[in-house]
Amino acid sequence: MIERFVKANSDRYFDITDEAIKYIQDYGENNTLDDMFVSFSGGKDSTVTSDLVTRAFATNKVKRIFGDTTLEFPLTYEYRARFAKTHTVLRAKNYEKNFEQLCEEIGPPSRVMRWCCTVFKTGAITKTLTQVFKDKTNVLTFYGIRKSESASRSKYDRESESPKITKQTVVSPIIDWIDFDVWLYILTTGIVFNDAYKLGYSRVGCWCCLR
């Protein structure tokens, strides 16, 4: 079944893959591997983006930064540990705050007050970038964000300056891909992915945000 699916859609696979790899390689002309990293969440989109970056630069030495919100699925942590055996994966984590304690103090996060992202993700990643890229005036970040994920993300540009983290240029190679494209890439290449998807989850972010 998978073999027939892959064969039937091989033209689509080569078209989107070749375009994404070329797009990534263009950034290598004015940036070194020490100026960039891949934002790695352990989800399918960041997994595919990470693999595309490896293929584009013919090396897995580009750093990966895992934003540990402390609210990830156990299977996501297991996948990160496996992934880290062949890649440099840095953990960005807020060690000072506790999610449940903050919920008791200020109430749980909501759509209009998503304090959790600032405290457990953006803040931790900013701190990690400051420590890792101390003397860099600009850091190139490869994200696995896609427009089809949500109405808000449908307005994102393929390249932009981060509105939350200074000195960060965000590049999203697969921004125009749909779920079909992501799974086509995974099944065609045979790359390892988060086992949480095998349980039926369509997304594997923070457990409290899944619907």
Side-chain angles (χ1 to χ4, degrees):
M1 179 69 73
I2 292 178
E3 291 181 357
R4 290 202 297 270
F5 169 76
V6 168
K7 184 176 181 180
N9 296 283
S10 59
D11 288 345
R12 173 66 179 175
Y13 164 77
F14 286 116
D15 285 345
I16 60 176
T17 299
D18 290 347
E19 192 280 333
I21 289 177
K22 177 61 170 60
Y23 180 76
I24 294 170
Q25 287 175 333
D26 286 344
Y27 282 90
E29 296 180 2
N30 298 312
N31 298 275
T32 69
L33 299 184
D34 293 330
D35 298 327
M36 61 183 71
F37 76 94
V38 178
S39 179
F40 180 76
S41 67
K44 65 183 185 303
D45 298 335
S46 65
T47 293
V48 168
T49 299
S50 175
D51 194 66
L52 286 168
V53 170
T54 294
R55 293 175 63 179
F57 297 127
T59 178
N60 62 1
K61 292 184 179 180
V62 177
K63 298 179 182 66
R64 273 68 173 175
I65 293 183
F66 175 70
D68 185 356
T69 63
T70 73
L71 303 171
E72 314 296 333
F73 282 127
L75 286 175
T76 297
Y77 288 118
E78 290 178 15
Y79 176 54
R80 175 207 165 275
R82 281 185 288 148
F83 190 84
K85 292 180 179 179
T86 53
H87 301 79
T88 300
V89 182
L90 307 177
R91 175 177 288 183
K93 179 179 179 180
N94 188 329
Y95 292 90
E96 290 77 35
K97 302 294 183 179
N98 178 276
F99 177 74
E100 294 183 1
Q101 182 178 344
L102 285 177
C103 284
E104 293 180 359
E105 294 176 359
I106 61 178
S110 65
R111 288 182 180 274
V112 295
M113 187 179 176
R114 295 181 61 184
W115 54 260
C116 51
C117 288
T118 300
V119 175
F120 293 101
K121 194 168 187 178
T122 306
I125 291 177
T126 300
K127 185 177 181 180
T128 299
L129 292 183
T130 300
Q131 295 172 340
V132 176
F133 300 98
K134 298 177 181 178
D135 303 321
K136 303 296 181 181
T137 57
N138 189 71
V139 179
L140 181 66
T141 308
F142 292 105
Y143 268 26
I145 292 175
R146 294 183 297 112
K147 289 184 176 181
S148 63
E149 291 181 279
S150 66
S152 60
R153 292 188 175 184
S154 67
K155 301 179 178 64
Y156 285 16
D157 294 321
R158 203 175 191 186
E159 178 189 332
S160 64
E161 299 302 316
S162 174
K164 298 180 179 180
I165 302 175
T166 58
K167 300 180 180 180
Q168 182 186 35
T169 298
V170 177
V171 175
S172 306
I174 64 171
I175 196 167
D176 292 317
W177 289 26
I178 57 177
D179 276 9
F180 176 91
D181 297 326
V182 174
W183 285 112
L184 175 61
Y185 185 92
I186 290 174
L187 295 176
T188 301
T189 58
I191 58 175
V192 178
F193 59 93
N194 193 324
D195 285 339
Y197 289 109
K198 298 178 182 179
L199 300 179
Y201 291 103
S202 60
R203 303 184 68 177
V204 294
C206 303
W207 56 262
C208 57
C209 291
L210 297 180
R211 299 189 299 273

